Amino acid sequence: MASASVSDGNLGNVMYIGDSITHGVNSGSWRWAMHKIFTDNGVSYTEKGIMTGNFSGGVAAGTSYGGKIFQNIHSSAASARTYEIAGRANGSNYGRFDGSNIKNWLGLSTEKTKGGSYAGQTFTGANKPDTFFLLSGTNDLLSDGDNNSLFYRLDGVTSLLLGDMDSIVSSIRTANSQASILVMTIPCWTQHSNGNLAETHQAVASYNESLKEWGTNNAANGVKVIDINAGIIDTASSTPFYGVRSMFNNPTADGLHPNAQGDLLMAGNLAKGMGYAGRSAGQERKATHELEVNFGQNPSITQQTLEANGFTANNVTISNNTVNFNKSGSSSLTYNWGAAQGQNKGYTVDFTLRLGNGATGGWDTTNNFSLNLGNGTLNINEAYIQWGSTILYSKDMSANADSIRVAYVAGDRANGLDAGYYIWLGMFSSGKRRRQRGKFFRPHVQLFRHAGRHPVQSGFGRFPFLRPLYHRHYWP
């Protein structure tokens, strides 16, 4: 086998290490979403680990996507602490992993943390992991000690946590000096049985900044820290580092564990941090200028089109493929509509949208820019990108520079690809370009897939396949 390399798209043997968020609680976990991203990007990898399956729910081992089998193998466990993984004796919490630790798994020691011999799987020689994904620290921060005082205890907790991270990295480097170690930031959350004070949320956000600095200092050891929270943090929340409720399994009681939408964004952020694009939904990657214009037309938005929807010449100006709401430099829409070889093979719509003034005037989450897609509506306001009323992504849209792509994909059930609408953010954002199948593409994040029928060819203006709707249209 060729040497493993994140940059070359060959991850070699992969070990996922973490707690219940990696293990998977009532969802396939972000590991299943990563499997789809790896498959769509032609990234090769082999799962290694001491565990199989999810803590609850999830995707069965052996499930195929795009012809690639997801083995659902990992080294993570619900309620795991970082010190357990590192092998540091600390109190009585050693029920996870049957008291074993990473030194045991990598064949560096046969003695378990608090005594006894390890007789489980070891990964050495041809089974030695080349790429490690590590997401750990949530339980250390939120499940140990009085979380109401975490903000005041943070320096001490951070010192212990990063010390354990040092130990984990040391073990990995001893086993494989060329290993890539991808560390994920602690995910945001909504509400939990403890740790709900604004100061506690802020404390974990502050820990993430310390973790990033730690990662920079350990870059020479193959460490890279990737922030996986973009889009999941509720931009409009008055509580810092507070998650979007609709992205968690039980947001009012146990809002620590992401659902499928949260998993999707976590995985997309991780892939982007690795320099990979997000999911292609099985489609060949092409730049906009390489796509045929849908149905041979060259659509554009006209002043008459906008006036028919309630706009006036006083609050809208049009220049080429740009619409400015009220005045240039404030809310605006730029667009490029085209796609595919025929309606039966799907289409794409690309546009970049900026709305309002964000927090300056208070978050307006009522007035939406909307696209009616036949069996559902994409709504975008100052703080949220939504499918109907369900939030897909949260960000300050007044400062948005990322393109949004909406695609209808015909699907390929034989390879696990459902028909429906797929939505991406950042298809043309700045970033390192990578080649895939002879095409250039840039890192982006898939936001959503919604299964459903193809939209009917009805509408107004020059959009026979898509009808833009402008709801409550008095953006500044």
mmCIF file with all atom_site columns, all heavy atoms in Angstrom, residues 43-65:
data_model
loop_
_atom_site.group_PDB
_atom_site.id
_atom_site.type_symbol
_atom_site.label_atom_id
_atom_site.label_alt_id
_atom_site.label_comp_id
_atom_site.label_asym_id
_atom_site.label_entity_id
_atom_site.label_seq_id
_atom_site.pdbx_PDB_ins_code
_atom_site.Cartn_x
_atom_site.Cartn_y
_atom_site.Cartn_z
_atom_site.occupancy
_atom_site.B_iso_or_equiv
_atom_site.pdbx_formal_charge
_atom_site.auth_seq_id
_atom_site.auth_comp_id
_atom_site.auth_asym_id
_atom_site.auth_atom_id
_atom_site.pdbx_PDB_model_num
ATOM 1   N N   . VAL A 1 43 ? -11.451 9.576  -1.638 1.00 0.00 ? 43 VAL A N   1
ATOM 2   C CA  . VAL A 1 43 ? -10.465 9.395  -0.579 1.00 0.00 ? 43 VAL A CA  1
ATOM 3   C C   . VAL A 1 43 ? -10.520 7.949  -0.084 1.00 0.00 ? 43 VAL A C   1
ATOM 4   O O   . VAL A 1 43 ? -11.583 7.434  0.254  1.00 0.00 ? 43 VAL A O   1
ATOM 5   C CB  . VAL A 1 43 ? -10.737 10.356 0.600  1.00 0.00 ? 43 VAL A CB  1
ATOM 6   C CG1 . VAL A 1 43 ? -9.772  10.094 1.750  1.00 0.00 ? 43 VAL A CG1 1
ATOM 7   C CG2 . VAL A 1 43 ? -10.624 11.800 0.132  1.00 0.00 ? 43 VAL A CG2 1
ATOM 8   N N   . SER A 1 44 ? -9.380  7.288  -0.050 1.00 0.00 ? 44 SER A N   1
ATOM 9   C CA  . SER A 1 44 ? -9.327  5.904  0.404  1.00 0.00 ? 44 SER A CA  1
ATOM 10  C C   . SER A 1 44 ? -8.938  5.836  1.878  1.00 0.00 ? 44 SER A C   1
ATOM 11  O O   . SER A 1 44 ? -8.122  6.623  2.346  1.00 0.00 ? 44 SER A O   1
ATOM 12  C CB  . SER A 1 44 ? -8.335  5.103  -0.437 1.00 0.00 ? 44 SER A CB  1
ATOM 13  O OG  . SER A 1 44 ? -7.026  5.634  -0.320 1.00 0.00 ? 44 SER A OG  1
ATOM 14  N N   . TYR A 1 45 ? -9.535  4.899  2.602  1.00 0.00 ? 45 TYR A N   1
ATOM 15  C CA  . TYR A 1 45 ? -9.199  4.710  4.005  1.00 0.00 ? 45 TYR A CA  1
ATOM 16  C C   . TYR A 1 45 ? -9.731  3.374  4.482  1.00 0.00 ? 45 TYR A C   1
ATOM 17  O O   . TYR A 1 45 ? -10.648 2.797  3.892  1.00 0.00 ? 45 TYR A O   1
ATOM 18  C CB  . TYR A 1 45 ? -9.765  5.841  4.862  1.00 0.00 ? 45 TYR A CB  1
ATOM 19  C CG  . TYR A 1 45 ? -11.240 5.739  5.197  1.00 0.00 ? 45 TYR A CG  1
ATOM 20  C CD1 . TYR A 1 45 ? -11.654 5.442  6.494  1.00 0.00 ? 45 TYR A CD1 1
ATOM 21  C CD2 . TYR A 1 45 ? -12.222 5.940  4.231  1.00 0.00 ? 45 TYR A CD2 1
ATOM 22  C CE1 . TYR A 1 45 ? -13.008 5.357  6.815  1.00 0.00 ? 45 TYR A CE1 1
ATOM 23  C CE2 . TYR A 1 45 ? -13.566 5.854  4.544  1.00 0.00 ? 45 TYR A CE2 1
ATOM 24  C CZ  . TYR A 1 45 ? -13.955 5.564  5.841  1.00 0.00 ? 45 TYR A CZ  1
ATOM 25  O OH  . TYR A 1 45 ? -15.287 5.462  6.161  1.00 0.00 ? 45 TYR A OH  1
ATOM 26  N N   . THR A 1 46 ? -9.138  2.849  5.549  1.00 0.00 ? 46 THR A N   1
ATOM 27  C CA  . THR A 1 46 ? -9.561  1.599  6.163  1.00 0.00 ? 46 THR A CA  1
ATOM 28  C C   . THR A 1 46 ? -9.757  1.836  7.653  1.00 0.00 ? 46 THR A C   1
ATOM 29  O O   . THR A 1 46 ? -8.843  2.299  8.336  1.00 0.00 ? 46 THR A O   1
ATOM 30  C CB  . THR A 1 46 ? -8.512  0.492  5.953  1.00 0.00 ? 46 THR A CB  1
ATOM 31  O OG1 . THR A 1 46 ? -8.287  0.311  4.552  1.00 0.00 ? 46 THR A OG1 1
ATOM 32  C CG2 . THR A 1 46 ? -8.986  -0.823 6.558  1.00 0.00 ? 46 THR A CG2 1
ATOM 33  N N   . GLU A 1 47 ? -10.958 1.548  8.148  1.00 0.00 ? 47 GLU A N   1
ATOM 34  C CA  . GLU A 1 47 ? -11.272 1.796  9.554  1.00 0.00 ? 47 GLU A CA  1
ATOM 35  C C   . GLU A 1 47 ? -10.590 0.775  10.461 1.00 0.00 ? 47 GLU A C   1
ATOM 36  O O   . GLU A 1 47 ? -10.603 -0.423 10.190 1.00 0.00 ? 47 GLU A O   1
ATOM 37  C CB  . GLU A 1 47 ? -12.788 1.713  9.766  1.00 0.00 ? 47 GLU A CB  1
ATOM 38  C CG  . GLU A 1 47 ? -13.578 2.739  8.980  1.00 0.00 ? 47 GLU A CG  1
ATOM 39  C CD  . GLU A 1 47 ? -15.025 2.322  8.815  1.00 0.00 ? 47 GLU A CD  1
ATOM 40  O OE1 . GLU A 1 47 ? -15.816 2.551  9.747  1.00 0.00 ? 47 GLU A OE1 1
ATOM 41  O OE2 . GLU A 1 47 ? -15.370 1.756  7.762  1.00 0.00 ? 47 GLU A OE2 1
ATOM 42  N N   . LYS A 1 48 ? -10.023 1.271  11.552 1.00 0.00 ? 48 LYS A N   1
ATOM 43  C CA  . LYS A 1 48 ? -9.422  0.418  12.570 1.00 0.00 ? 48 LYS A CA  1
ATOM 44  C C   . LYS A 1 48 ? -9.925  0.871  13.940 1.00 0.00 ? 48 LYS A C   1
ATOM 45  O O   . LYS A 1 48 ? -10.110 2.066  14.174 1.00 0.00 ? 48 LYS A O   1
ATOM 46  C CB  . LYS A 1 48 ? -7.892  0.508  12.535 1.00 0.00 ? 48 LYS A CB  1
ATOM 47  C CG  . LYS A 1 48 ? -7.261  0.066  11.218 1.00 0.00 ? 48 LYS A CG  1
ATOM 48  C CD  . LYS A 1 48 ? -7.425  -1.433 10.978 1.00 0.00 ? 48 LYS A CD  1
ATOM 49  C CE  . LYS A 1 48 ? -6.784  -1.855 9.670  1.00 0.00 ? 48 LYS A CE  1
ATOM 50  N NZ  . LYS A 1 48 ? -6.955  -3.306 9.413  1.00 0.00 ? 48 LYS A NZ  1
ATOM 51  N N   . GLY A 1 49 ? -10.109 -0.080 14.861 1.00 0.00 ? 49 GLY A N   1
ATOM 52  C CA  . GLY A 1 49 ? -10.556 0.296  16.190 1.00 0.00 ? 49 GLY A CA  1
ATOM 53  C C   . GLY A 1 49 ? -11.016 -0.894 17.000 1.00 0.00 ? 49 GLY A C   1
ATOM 54  O O   . GLY A 1 49 ? -11.185 -1.999 16.478 1.00 0.00 ? 49 GLY A O   1
ATOM 55  N N   . ILE A 1 50 ? -11.260 -0.640 18.271 1.00 0.00 ? 50 ILE A N   1
ATOM 56  C CA  . ILE A 1 50 ? -11.623 -1.718 19.184 1.00 0.00 ? 50 ILE A CA  1
ATOM 57  C C   . ILE A 1 50 ? -13.131 -1.880 19.328 1.00 0.00 ? 50 ILE A C   1
ATOM 58  O O   . ILE A 1 50 ? -13.598 -2.808 19.978 1.00 0.00 ? 50 ILE A O   1
ATOM 59  C CB  . ILE A 1 50 ? -11.005 -1.481 20.576 1.00 0.00 ? 50 ILE A CB  1
ATOM 60  C CG1 . ILE A 1 50 ? -11.559 -0.178 21.190 1.00 0.00 ? 50 ILE A CG1 1
ATOM 61  C CG2 . ILE A 1 50 ? -9.490  -1.441 20.499 1.00 0.00 ? 50 ILE A CG2 1
ATOM 62  C CD1 . ILE A 1 50 ? -11.174 0.015  22.648 1.00 0.00 ? 50 ILE A CD1 1
ATOM 63  N N   . MET A 1 51 ? -13.913 -0.951 18.725 1.00 0.00 ? 51 MET A N   1
ATOM 64  C CA  . MET A 1 51 ? -15.364 -0.980 18.868 1.00 0.00 ? 51 MET A CA  1
ATOM 65  C C   . MET A 1 51 ? -16.024 -1.050 17.499 1.00 0.00 ? 51 MET A C   1
ATOM 66  O O   . MET A 1 51 ? -15.474 -0.583 16.499 1.00 0.00 ? 51 MET A O   1
ATOM 67  C CB  . MET A 1 51 ? -15.860 0.277  19.586 1.00 0.00 ? 51 MET A CB  1
ATOM 68  C CG  . MET A 1 51 ? -15.186 0.562  20.914 1.00 0.00 ? 51 MET A CG  1
ATOM 69  S SD  . MET A 1 51 ? -15.836 -0.415 22.269 1.00 0.00 ? 51 MET A SD  1
ATOM 70  C CE  . MET A 1 51 ? -17.375 0.452  22.586 1.00 0.00 ? 51 MET A CE  1
ATOM 71  N N   . THR A 1 52 ? -17.252 -1.607 17.453 1.00 0.00 ? 52 THR A N   1
ATOM 72  C CA  . THR A 1 52 ? -18.060 -1.626 16.236 1.00 0.00 ? 52 THR A CA  1
ATOM 73  C C   . THR A 1 52 ? -19.476 -1.189 16.586 1.00 0.00 ? 52 THR A C   1
ATOM 74  O O   . THR A 1 52 ? -20.031 -1.599 17.607 1.00 0.00 ? 52 THR A O   1
ATOM 75  C CB  . THR A 1 52 ? -18.101 -3.026 15.608 1.00 0.00 ? 52 THR A CB  1
ATOM 76  O OG1 . THR A 1 52 ? -16.775 -3.445 15.282 1.00 0.00 ? 52 THR A OG1 1
ATOM 77  C CG2 . THR A 1 52 ? -18.936 -3.027 14.337 1.00 0.00 ? 52 THR A CG2 1
ATOM 78  N N   . GLY A 1 53 ? -20.059 -0.337 15.737 1.00 0.00 ? 53 GLY A N   1
ATOM 79  C CA  . GLY A 1 53 ? -21.442 0.071  15.924 1.00 0.00 ? 53 GLY A CA  1
ATOM 80  C C   . GLY A 1 53 ? -21.595 1.367  16.691 1.00 0.00 ? 53 GLY A C   1
ATOM 81  O O   . GLY A 1 53 ? -20.615 1.992  17.100 1.00 0.00 ? 53 GLY A O   1
ATOM 82  N N   . ASN A 1 54 ? -22.838 1.762  16.897 1.00 0.00 ? 54 ASN A N   1
ATOM 83  C CA  . ASN A 1 54 ? -23.178 2.991  17.589 1.00 0.00 ? 54 ASN A CA  1
ATOM 84  C C   . ASN A 1 54 ? -23.664 2.695  19.002 1.00 0.00 ? 54 ASN A C   1
ATOM 85  O O   . ASN A 1 54 ? -24.089 1.582  19.303 1.00 0.00 ? 54 ASN A O   1
ATOM 86  C CB  . ASN A 1 54 ? -24.262 3.762  16.828 1.00 0.00 ? 54 ASN A CB  1
ATOM 87  C CG  . ASN A 1 54 ? -23.822 4.140  15.437 1.00 0.00 ? 54 ASN A CG  1
ATOM 88  O OD1 . ASN A 1 54 ? -24.136 3.459  14.467 1.00 0.00 ? 54 ASN A OD1 1
ATOM 89  N ND2 . ASN A 1 54 ? -23.097 5.230  15.328 1.00 0.00 ? 54 ASN A ND2 1
ATOM 90  N N   . PHE A 1 55 ? -23.627 3.710  19.848 1.00 0.00 ? 55 PHE A N   1
ATOM 91  C CA  . PHE A 1 55 ? -24.156 3.556  21.195 1.00 0.00 ? 55 PHE A CA  1
ATOM 92  C C   . PHE A 1 55 ? -25.656 3.302  21.144 1.00 0.00 ? 55 PHE A C   1
ATOM 93  O O   . PHE A 1 55 ? -26.187 2.471  21.876 1.00 0.00 ? 55 PHE A O   1
ATOM 94  C CB  . PHE A 1 55 ? -23.857 4.801  22.027 1.00 0.00 ? 55 PHE A CB  1
ATOM 95  C CG  . PHE A 1 55 ? -24.395 4.737  23.417 1.00 0.00 ? 55 PHE A CG  1
ATOM 96  C CD1 . PHE A 1 55 ? -23.764 3.972  24.386 1.00 0.00 ? 55 PHE A CD1 1
ATOM 97  C CD2 . PHE A 1 55 ? -25.542 5.436  23.773 1.00 0.00 ? 55 PHE A CD2 1
ATOM 98  C CE1 . PHE A 1 55 ? -24.253 3.894  25.676 1.00 0.00 ? 55 PHE A CE1 1
ATOM 99  C CE2 . PHE A 1 55 ? -26.048 5.368  25.058 1.00 0.00 ? 55 PHE A CE2 1
ATOM 100 C CZ  . PHE A 1 55 ? -25.402 4.591  26.014 1.00 0.00 ? 55 PHE A CZ  1
ATOM 101 N N   . SER A 1 56 ? -26.356 4.021  20.258 1.00 0.00 ? 56 SER A N   1
ATOM 102 C CA  . SER A 1 56 ? -27.789 3.804  20.047 1.00 0.00 ? 56 SER A CA  1
ATOM 103 C C   . SER A 1 56 ? -28.147 4.298  18.656 1.00 0.00 ? 56 SER A C   1
ATOM 104 O O   . SER A 1 56 ? -27.569 5.249  18.140 1.00 0.00 ? 56 SER A O   1
ATOM 105 C CB  . SER A 1 56 ? -28.617 4.551  21.094 1.00 0.00 ? 56 SER A CB  1
ATOM 106 O OG  . SER A 1 56 ? -28.367 5.944  21.047 1.00 0.00 ? 56 SER A OG  1
ATOM 107 N N   . GLY A 1 57 ? -29.107 3.607  18.032 1.00 0.00 ? 57 GLY A N   1
ATOM 108 C CA  . GLY A 1 57 ? -29.529 3.998  16.698 1.00 0.00 ? 57 GLY A CA  1
ATOM 109 C C   . GLY A 1 57 ? -28.386 3.891  15.703 1.00 0.00 ? 57 GLY A C   1
ATOM 110 O O   . GLY A 1 57 ? -27.494 3.060  15.836 1.00 0.00 ? 57 GLY A O   1
ATOM 111 N N   . GLY A 1 58 ? -28.433 4.756  14.690 1.00 0.00 ? 58 GLY A N   1
ATOM 112 C CA  . GLY A 1 58 ? -27.310 4.849  13.784 1.00 0.00 ? 58 GLY A CA  1
ATOM 113 C C   . GLY A 1 58 ? -27.393 3.964  12.563 1.00 0.00 ? 58 GLY A C   1
ATOM 114 O O   . GLY A 1 58 ? -28.457 3.465  12.189 1.00 0.00 ? 58 GLY A O   1
ATOM 115 N N   . VAL A 1 59 ? -26.235 3.735  11.957 1.00 0.00 ? 59 VAL A N   1
ATOM 116 C CA  . VAL A 1 59 ? -26.120 3.021  10.687 1.00 0.00 ? 59 VAL A CA  1
ATOM 117 C C   . VAL A 1 59 ? -25.444 1.677  10.938 1.00 0.00 ? 59 VAL A C   1
ATOM 118 O O   . VAL A 1 59 ? -24.408 1.604  11.605 1.00 0.00 ? 59 VAL A O   1
ATOM 119 C CB  . VAL A 1 59 ? -25.289 3.849  9.683  1.00 0.00 ? 59 VAL A CB  1
ATOM 120 C CG1 . VAL A 1 59 ? -25.098 3.088  8.379  1.00 0.00 ? 59 VAL A CG1 1
ATOM 121 C CG2 . VAL A 1 59 ? -25.982 5.191  9.418  1.00 0.00 ? 59 VAL A CG2 1
ATOM 122 N N   . ALA A 1 60 ? -26.013 0.624  10.395 1.00 0.00 ? 60 ALA A N   1
ATOM 123 C CA  . ALA A 1 60 ? -25.467 -0.711 10.613 1.00 0.00 ? 60 ALA A CA  1
ATOM 124 C C   . ALA A 1 60 ? -24.137 -0.879 9.896  1.00 0.00 ? 60 ALA A C   1
ATOM 125 O O   . ALA A 1 60 ? -23.938 -0.366 8.790  1.00 0.00 ? 60 ALA A O   1
ATOM 126 C CB  . ALA A 1 60 ? -26.454 -1.764 10.117 1.00 0.00 ? 60 ALA A CB  1
ATOM 127 N N   . ALA A 1 61 ? -23.217 -1.577 10.542 1.00 0.00 ? 61 ALA A N   1
ATOM 128 C CA  . ALA A 1 61 ? -21.954 -1.918 9.898  1.00 0.00 ? 61 ALA A CA  1
ATOM 129 C C   . ALA A 1 61 ? -22.245 -2.698 8.623  1.00 0.00 ? 61 ALA A C   1
ATOM 130 O O   . ALA A 1 61 ? -23.124 -3.559 8.587  1.00 0.00 ? 61 ALA A O   1
ATOM 131 C CB  . ALA A 1 61 ? -21.093 -2.743 10.838 1.00 0.00 ? 61 ALA A CB  1
ATOM 132 N N   . GLY A 1 62 ? -21.515 -2.366 7.551  1.00 0.00 ? 62 GLY A N   1
ATOM 133 C CA  . GLY A 1 62 ? -21.732 -3.028 6.271  1.00 0.00 ? 62 GLY A CA  1
ATOM 134 C C   . GLY A 1 62 ? -22.605 -2.243 5.319  1.00 0.00 ? 62 GLY A C   1
ATOM 135 O O   . GLY A 1 62 ? -22.803 -2.647 4.166  1.00 0.00 ? 62 GLY A O   1
ATOM 136 N N   . THR A 1 63 ? -23.156 -1.101 5.763  1.00 0.00 ? 63 THR A N   1
ATOM 137 C CA  . THR A 1 63 ? -23.971 -0.259 4.901  1.00 0.00 ? 63 THR A CA  1
ATOM 138 C C   . THR A 1 63 ? -23.096 0.359  3.807  1.00 0.00 ? 63 THR A C   1
ATOM 139 O O   . THR A 1 63 ? -21.981 0.794  4.061  1.00 0.00 ? 63 THR A O   1
ATOM 140 C CB  . THR A 1 63 ? -24.654 0.856  5.711  1.00 0.00 ? 63 THR A CB  1
ATOM 141 O OG1 . THR A 1 63 ? -25.467 0.266  6.718  1.00 0.00 ? 63 THR A OG1 1
ATOM 142 C CG2 . THR A 1 63 ? -25.521 1.736  4.816  1.00 0.00 ? 63 THR A CG2 1
ATOM 143 N N   . SER A 1 64 ? -23.617 0.379  2.587  1.00 0.00 ? 64 SER A N   1
ATOM 144 C CA  . SER A 1 64 ? -22.837 0.868  1.448  1.00 0.00 ? 64 SER A CA  1
ATOM 145 C C   . SER A 1 64 ? -23.297 2.246  1.020  1.00 0.00 ? 64 SER A C   1
ATOM 146 O O   . SER A 1 64 ? -24.491 2.568  1.061  1.00 0.00 ? 64 SER A O   1
ATOM 147 C CB  . SER A 1 64 ? -22.980 -0.090 0.264  1.00 0.00 ? 64 SER A CB  1
ATOM 148 O OG  . SER A 1 64 ? -22.325 0.421  -0.884 1.00 0.00 ? 64 SER A OG  1
ATOM 149 N N   . TYR A 1 65 ? -22.348 3.065  0.619  1.00 0.00 ? 65 TYR A N   1
ATOM 150 C CA  . TYR A 1 65 ? -22.645 4.332  -0.034 1.00 0.00 ? 65 TYR A CA  1
ATOM 151 C C   . TYR A 1 65 ? -21.670 4.475  -1.197 1.00 0.00 ? 65 TYR A C   1
ATOM 152 O O   . TYR A 1 65 ? -20.454 4.369  -1.008 1.00 0.00 ? 65 TYR A O   1
ATOM 153 C CB  . TYR A 1 65 ? -22.472 5.524  0.912  1.00 0.00 ? 65 TYR A CB  1
ATOM 154 C CG  . TYR A 1 65 ? -22.562 6.851  0.179  1.00 0.00 ? 65 TYR A CG  1
ATOM 155 C CD1 . TYR A 1 65 ? -23.799 7.379  -0.169 1.00 0.00 ? 65 TYR A CD1 1
ATOM 156 C CD2 . TYR A 1 65 ? -21.419 7.545  -0.214 1.00 0.00 ? 65 TYR A CD2 1
ATOM 157 C CE1 . TYR A 1 65 ? -23.891 8.576  -0.870 1.00 0.00 ? 65 TYR A CE1 1
ATOM 158 C CE2 . TYR A 1 65 ? -21.500 8.731  -0.914 1.00 0.00 ? 65 TYR A CE2 1
ATOM 159 C CZ  . TYR A 1 65 ? -22.734 9.242  -1.235 1.00 0.00 ? 65 TYR A CZ  1
ATOM 160 O OH  . TYR A 1 65 ? -22.824 10.413 -1.947 1.00 0.00 ? 65 TYR A OH  1
#
